[in-house]
Amino acid sequence: MSSFARGERAALADTLLAAGPDAPTLCTGWATRDLAAHLVLRERRPDAAPGILLKAVAGHTKKVQDGLAAGDYAELVGKIRTPPVWLRPGFADEAMNLIEFFVHHEDVRRATAGWTPRQLDPGYEAALSARARGSARLSTRRFPARIVVKAPGAEPFTVGAGGDAELVVEGAPGELLLFFTGRQGAADVEVTGPDGLADRLRGAHLGL
């Protein structure tokens, strides 16, 4: 089994080091040091990781993340580059980090003017396509329209809450994944359908 997450882990670490600790990201309020701290916390601080999703313990998570971000940046990135023991089997890294590393790598790349799209391995594109489908279904489950999602070489699928109106979202698998994880403004996709509804989807809070 290919571990695309393992390759993306290394590429993300390279990009974070090259950008430096205070570069912008697409994550509101986070510089690169904050994003790196989030990734380390997620993998290595089980006491604080629940607060990523649970507001009741988010204060502890922020305190831990801020502490990590204030430390040595190169050491922090080194912890991203080397997976913890429990993630060293490729299947485990793939299951937990395929989406996480791709999306956050693009959060760094696309926050700086002059970025260019990457040419991804076809197998990687296929893996991202499968994940984009799940992300699209989850993030648009309450959106009041049928949304037909199309990617080159893949069977179209429909998401959204349904209704009389229909939108079409079309792009490469990685671009669709970015779109349906809340990075609509940075994703290279085409949205067609009723103007007001298309604009609403472009500005909707998608993702977790």
PDB file of all heavy atoms in Angstrom, residues 134-157:
ATOM      1  N   GLY A 134     -15.947  12.039   0.534  1.00  0.00           N
ATOM      2  CA  GLY A 134     -16.411  12.028   1.920  1.00  0.00           C
ATOM      3  C   GLY A 134     -16.494  13.420   2.513  1.00  0.00           C
ATOM      4  O   GLY A 134     -17.451  13.755   3.218  1.00  0.00           O
ATOM      5  N   SER A 135     -15.499  14.260   2.219  1.00  0.00           N
ATOM      6  CA  SER A 135     -15.500  15.631   2.742  1.00  0.00           C
ATOM      7  C   SER A 135     -16.667  16.426   2.181  1.00  0.00           C
ATOM      8  O   SER A 135     -17.309  17.208   2.891  1.00  0.00           O
ATOM      9  CB  SER A 135     -14.177  16.319   2.402  1.00  0.00           C
ATOM     10  OG  SER A 135     -13.105  15.739   3.104  1.00  0.00           O
ATOM     11  N   ALA A 136     -16.938  16.242   0.895  1.00  0.00           N
ATOM     12  CA  ALA A 136     -18.044  16.966   0.261  1.00  0.00           C
ATOM     13  C   ALA A 136     -19.377  16.575   0.882  1.00  0.00           C
ATOM     14  O   ALA A 136     -20.229  17.426   1.156  1.00  0.00           O
ATOM     15  CB  ALA A 136     -18.044  16.695  -1.234  1.00  0.00           C
ATOM     16  N   ARG A 137     -19.565  15.305   1.114  1.00  0.00           N
ATOM     17  CA  ARG A 137     -20.837  14.847   1.695  1.00  0.00           C
ATOM     18  C   ARG A 137     -21.025  15.388   3.109  1.00  0.00           C
ATOM     19  O   ARG A 137     -22.113  15.833   3.472  1.00  0.00           O
ATOM     20  CB  ARG A 137     -20.879  13.318   1.696  1.00  0.00           C
ATOM     21  CG  ARG A 137     -21.165  12.743   0.315  1.00  0.00           C
ATOM     22  CD  ARG A 137     -21.238  11.240   0.330  1.00  0.00           C
ATOM     23  NE  ARG A 137     -21.719  10.760  -0.976  1.00  0.00           N
ATOM     24  CZ  ARG A 137     -21.408   9.600  -1.508  1.00  0.00           C
ATOM     25  NH1 ARG A 137     -20.596   8.783  -0.862  1.00  0.00           N
ATOM     26  NH2 ARG A 137     -21.888   9.250  -2.679  1.00  0.00           N
ATOM     27  N   LEU A 138     -19.973  15.347   3.896  1.00  0.00           N
ATOM     28  CA  LEU A 138     -20.077  15.811   5.273  1.00  0.00           C
ATOM     29  C   LEU A 138     -20.289  17.316   5.346  1.00  0.00           C
ATOM     30  O   LEU A 138     -21.156  17.812   6.082  1.00  0.00           O
ATOM     31  CB  LEU A 138     -18.813  15.415   6.041  1.00  0.00           C
ATOM     32  CG  LEU A 138     -18.752  15.830   7.515  1.00  0.00           C
ATOM     33  CD1 LEU A 138     -19.857  15.154   8.311  1.00  0.00           C
ATOM     34  CD2 LEU A 138     -17.384  15.491   8.096  1.00  0.00           C
ATOM     35  N   SER A 139     -19.531  18.067   4.576  1.00  0.00           N
ATOM     36  CA  SER A 139     -19.538  19.518   4.730  1.00  0.00           C
ATOM     37  C   SER A 139     -20.757  20.188   4.107  1.00  0.00           C
ATOM     38  O   SER A 139     -21.077  21.325   4.457  1.00  0.00           O
ATOM     39  CB  SER A 139     -18.257  20.118   4.132  1.00  0.00           C
ATOM     40  OG  SER A 139     -18.206  19.918   2.731  1.00  0.00           O
ATOM     41  N   THR A 140     -21.435  19.520   3.185  1.00  0.00           N
ATOM     42  CA  THR A 140     -22.591  20.138   2.522  1.00  0.00           C
ATOM     43  C   THR A 140     -23.908  19.473   2.913  1.00  0.00           C
ATOM     44  O   THR A 140     -24.934  19.738   2.285  1.00  0.00           O
ATOM     45  CB  THR A 140     -22.442  20.080   0.987  1.00  0.00           C
ATOM     46  OG1 THR A 140     -22.455  18.703   0.561  1.00  0.00           O
ATOM     47  CG2 THR A 140     -21.150  20.745   0.535  1.00  0.00           C
ATOM     48  N   ARG A 141     -23.898  18.667   3.957  1.00  0.00           N
ATOM     49  CA  ARG A 141     -25.093  17.895   4.278  1.00  0.00           C
ATOM     50  C   ARG A 141     -26.295  18.766   4.595  1.00  0.00           C
ATOM     51  O   ARG A 141     -27.439  18.309   4.467  1.00  0.00           O
ATOM     52  CB  ARG A 141     -24.802  16.928   5.436  1.00  0.00           C
ATOM     53  CG  ARG A 141     -24.459  17.601   6.753  1.00  0.00           C
ATOM     54  CD  ARG A 141     -23.860  16.608   7.753  1.00  0.00           C
ATOM     55  NE  ARG A 141     -23.572  17.216   9.050  1.00  0.00           N
ATOM     56  CZ  ARG A 141     -22.494  17.947   9.308  1.00  0.00           C
ATOM     57  NH1 ARG A 141     -21.628  18.186   8.346  1.00  0.00           N
ATOM     58  NH2 ARG A 141     -22.298  18.448  10.508  1.00  0.00           N
ATOM     59  N   ARG A 142     -26.063  20.020   4.988  1.00  0.00           N
ATOM     60  CA  ARG A 142     -27.182  20.921   5.290  1.00  0.00           C
ATOM     61  C   ARG A 142     -27.357  22.014   4.229  1.00  0.00           C
ATOM     62  O   ARG A 142     -28.233  22.870   4.377  1.00  0.00           O
ATOM     63  CB  ARG A 142     -26.978  21.573   6.668  1.00  0.00           C
ATOM     64  CG  ARG A 142     -26.995  20.593   7.826  1.00  0.00           C
ATOM     65  CD  ARG A 142     -26.992  21.320   9.163  1.00  0.00           C
ATOM     66  NE  ARG A 142     -26.992  20.394  10.289  1.00  0.00           N
ATOM     67  CZ  ARG A 142     -25.912  19.920  10.875  1.00  0.00           C
ATOM     68  NH1 ARG A 142     -24.717  20.316  10.455  1.00  0.00           N
ATOM     69  NH2 ARG A 142     -25.989  19.074  11.889  1.00  0.00           N
ATOM     70  N   PHE A 143     -26.542  21.978   3.204  1.00  0.00           N
ATOM     71  CA  PHE A 143     -26.648  23.039   2.194  1.00  0.00           C
ATOM     72  C   PHE A 143     -27.880  22.795   1.318  1.00  0.00           C
ATOM     73  O   PHE A 143     -28.054  21.709   0.764  1.00  0.00           O
ATOM     74  CB  PHE A 143     -25.388  23.093   1.324  1.00  0.00           C
ATOM     75  CG  PHE A 143     -25.310  24.327   0.478  1.00  0.00           C
ATOM     76  CD1 PHE A 143     -24.806  25.516   1.005  1.00  0.00           C
ATOM     77  CD2 PHE A 143     -25.774  24.320  -0.828  1.00  0.00           C
ATOM     78  CE1 PHE A 143     -24.754  26.666   0.246  1.00  0.00           C
ATOM     79  CE2 PHE A 143     -25.729  25.473  -1.598  1.00  0.00           C
ATOM     80  CZ  PHE A 143     -25.217  26.648  -1.060  1.00  0.00           C
ATOM     81  N   PRO A 144     -28.743  23.818   1.142  1.00  0.00           N
ATOM     82  CA  PRO A 144     -30.054  23.607   0.517  1.00  0.00           C
ATOM     83  C   PRO A 144     -30.022  23.549  -1.002  1.00  0.00           C
ATOM     84  O   PRO A 144     -30.590  24.399  -1.699  1.00  0.00           O
ATOM     85  CB  PRO A 144     -30.845  24.826   1.006  1.00  0.00           C
ATOM     86  CG  PRO A 144     -29.811  25.909   1.119  1.00  0.00           C
ATOM     87  CD  PRO A 144     -28.571  25.215   1.611  1.00  0.00           C
ATOM     88  N   ALA A 145     -29.372  22.542  -1.545  1.00  0.00           N
ATOM     89  CA  ALA A 145     -29.334  22.348  -2.997  1.00  0.00           C
ATOM     90  C   ALA A 145     -28.766  20.978  -3.296  1.00  0.00           C
ATOM     91  O   ALA A 145     -28.156  20.330  -2.436  1.00  0.00           O
ATOM     92  CB  ALA A 145     -28.466  23.431  -3.659  1.00  0.00           C
ATOM     93  N   ARG A 146     -28.968  20.525  -4.523  1.00  0.00           N
ATOM     94  CA  ARG A 146     -28.232  19.373  -5.024  1.00  0.00           C
ATOM     95  C   ARG A 146     -26.913  19.899  -5.594  1.00  0.00           C
ATOM     96  O   ARG A 146     -26.911  20.836  -6.395  1.00  0.00           O
ATOM     97  CB  ARG A 146     -29.001  18.664  -6.136  1.00  0.00           C
ATOM     98  CG  ARG A 146     -30.311  18.046  -5.681  1.00  0.00           C
ATOM     99  CD  ARG A 146     -30.924  17.153  -6.771  1.00  0.00           C
ATOM    100  NE  ARG A 146     -30.883  17.789  -8.087  1.00  0.00           N
ATOM    101  CZ  ARG A 146     -31.781  18.647  -8.541  1.00  0.00           C
ATOM    102  NH1 ARG A 146     -32.795  19.024  -7.764  1.00  0.00           N
ATOM    103  NH2 ARG A 146     -31.684  19.155  -9.745  1.00  0.00           N
ATOM    104  N   ILE A 147     -25.814  19.305  -5.210  1.00  0.00           N
ATOM    105  CA  ILE A 147     -24.499  19.730  -5.686  1.00  0.00           C
ATOM    106  C   ILE A 147     -23.865  18.552  -6.415  1.00  0.00           C
ATOM    107  O   ILE A 147     -23.551  17.520  -5.801  1.00  0.00           O
ATOM    108  CB  ILE A 147     -23.586  20.178  -4.526  1.00  0.00           C
ATOM    109  CG1 ILE A 147     -24.257  21.281  -3.709  1.00  0.00           C
ATOM    110  CG2 ILE A 147     -22.236  20.650  -5.061  1.00  0.00           C
ATOM    111  CD1 ILE A 147     -23.546  21.600  -2.406  1.00  0.00           C
ATOM    112  N   VAL A 148     -23.716  18.695  -7.712  1.00  0.00           N
ATOM    113  CA  VAL A 148     -23.079  17.652  -8.522  1.00  0.00           C
ATOM    114  C   VAL A 148     -21.584  17.957  -8.566  1.00  0.00           C
ATOM    115  O   VAL A 148     -21.174  19.052  -8.964  1.00  0.00           O
ATOM    116  CB  VAL A 148     -23.662  17.613  -9.948  1.00  0.00           C
ATOM    117  CG1 VAL A 148     -22.974  16.520 -10.771  1.00  0.00           C
ATOM    118  CG2 VAL A 148     -25.175  17.380  -9.891  1.00  0.00           C
ATOM    119  N   VAL A 149     -20.784  16.997  -8.148  1.00  0.00           N
ATOM    120  CA  VAL A 149     -19.335  17.183  -8.055  1.00  0.00           C
ATOM    121  C   VAL A 149     -18.671  16.380  -9.164  1.00  0.00           C
ATOM    122  O   VAL A 149     -18.915  15.169  -9.300  1.00  0.00           O
ATOM    123  CB  VAL A 149     -18.802  16.748  -6.679  1.00  0.00           C
ATOM    124  CG1 VAL A 149     -17.305  17.017  -6.574  1.00  0.00           C
ATOM    125  CG2 VAL A 149     -19.552  17.464  -5.563  1.00  0.00           C
ATOM    126  N   LYS A 150     -17.812  17.058  -9.938  1.00  0.00           N
ATOM    127  CA  LYS A 150     -17.163  16.413 -11.079  1.00  0.00           C
ATOM    128  C   LYS A 150     -15.653  16.610 -11.011  1.00  0.00           C
ATOM    129  O   LYS A 150     -15.174  17.706 -10.716  1.00  0.00           O
ATOM    130  CB  LYS A 150     -17.676  17.010 -12.394  1.00  0.00           C
ATOM    131  CG  LYS A 150     -19.167  16.811 -12.640  1.00  0.00           C
ATOM    132  CD  LYS A 150     -19.584  17.406 -13.982  1.00  0.00           C
ATOM    133  CE  LYS A 150     -21.050  17.184 -14.275  1.00  0.00           C
ATOM    134  NZ  LYS A 150     -21.434  17.769 -15.598  1.00  0.00           N
ATOM    135  N   ALA A 151     -14.924  15.537 -11.305  1.00  0.00           N
ATOM    136  CA  ALA A 151     -13.464  15.589 -11.416  1.00  0.00           C
ATOM    137  C   ALA A 151     -13.064  14.833 -12.676  1.00  0.00           C
ATOM    138  O   ALA A 151     -13.741  13.869 -13.059  1.00  0.00           O
ATOM    139  CB  ALA A 151     -12.805  14.973 -10.192  1.00  0.00           C
ATOM    140  N   PRO A 152     -11.998  15.228 -13.332  1.00  0.00           N
ATOM    141  CA  PRO A 152     -11.576  14.549 -14.561  1.00  0.00           C
ATOM    142  C   PRO A 152     -11.354  13.055 -14.331  1.00  0.00           C
ATOM    143  O   PRO A 152     -10.682  12.650 -13.389  1.00  0.00           O
ATOM    144  CB  PRO A 152     -10.251  15.251 -14.906  1.00  0.00           C
ATOM    145  CG  PRO A 152     -10.343  16.592 -14.255  1.00  0.00           C
ATOM    146  CD  PRO A 152     -11.118  16.370 -12.997  1.00  0.00           C
ATOM    147  N   GLY A 153     -11.956  12.249 -15.184  1.00  0.00           N
ATOM    148  CA  GLY A 153     -11.749  10.807 -15.123  1.00  0.00           C
ATOM    149  C   GLY A 153     -12.478  10.085 -14.020  1.00  0.00           C
ATOM    150  O   GLY A 153     -12.288   8.882 -13.831  1.00  0.00           O
ATOM    151  N   ALA A 154     -13.318  10.784 -13.268  1.00  0.00           N
ATOM    152  CA  ALA A 154     -14.047  10.170 -12.152  1.00  0.00           C
ATOM    153  C   ALA A 154     -15.547  10.268 -12.389  1.00  0.00           C
ATOM    154  O   ALA A 154     -16.029  11.165 -13.091  1.00  0.00           O
ATOM    155  CB  ALA A 154     -13.683  10.848 -10.838  1.00  0.00           C
ATOM    156  N   GLU A 155     -16.278   9.347 -11.798  1.00  0.00           N
ATOM    157  CA  GLU A 155     -17.729   9.366 -11.903  1.00  0.00           C
ATOM    158  C   GLU A 155     -18.288  10.520 -11.076  1.00  0.00           C
ATOM    159  O   GLU A 155     -17.937  10.678  -9.899  1.00  0.00           O
ATOM    160  CB  GLU A 155     -18.293   8.047 -11.381  1.00  0.00           C
ATOM    161  CG  GLU A 155     -19.777   7.852 -11.617  1.00  0.00           C
ATOM    162  CD  GLU A 155     -20.118   7.594 -13.078  1.00  0.00           C
ATOM    163  OE1 GLU A 155     -19.233   7.172 -13.839  1.00  0.00           O
ATOM    164  OE2 GLU A 155     -21.288   7.841 -13.437  1.00  0.00           O
ATOM    165  N   PRO A 156     -19.135  11.376 -11.661  1.00  0.00           N
ATOM    166  CA  PRO A 156     -19.732  12.459 -10.871  1.00  0.00           C
ATOM    167  C   PRO A 156     -20.560  11.901  -9.710  1.00  0.00           C
ATOM    168  O   PRO A 156     -21.087  10.788  -9.789  1.00  0.00           O
ATOM    169  CB  PRO A 156     -20.627  13.184 -11.884  1.00  0.00           C
ATOM    170  CG  PRO A 156     -20.083  12.809 -13.218  1.00  0.00           C
ATOM    171  CD  PRO A 156     -19.565  11.407 -13.064  1.00  0.00           C
ATOM    172  N   PHE A 157     -20.671  12.661  -8.645  1.00  0.00           N
ATOM    173  CA  PHE A 157     -21.513  12.260  -7.531  1.00  0.00           C
ATOM    174  C   PHE A 157     -22.257  13.485  -7.017  1.00  0.00           C
ATOM    175  O   PHE A 157     -21.876  14.625  -7.298  1.00  0.00           O
ATOM    176  CB  PHE A 157     -20.705  11.590  -6.416  1.00  0.00           C
ATOM    177  CG  PHE A 157     -19.630  12.448  -5.814  1.00  0.00           C
ATOM    178  CD1 PHE A 157     -19.877  13.232  -4.688  1.00  0.00           C
ATOM    179  CD2 PHE A 157     -18.355  12.474  -6.366  1.00  0.00           C
ATOM    180  CE1 PHE A 157     -18.878  14.013  -4.128  1.00  0.00           C
ATOM    181  CE2 PHE A 157     -17.343  13.255  -5.801  1.00  0.00           C
ATOM    182  CZ  PHE A 157     -17.609  14.025  -4.694  1.00  0.00           C
TER     183      PHE A 157
END
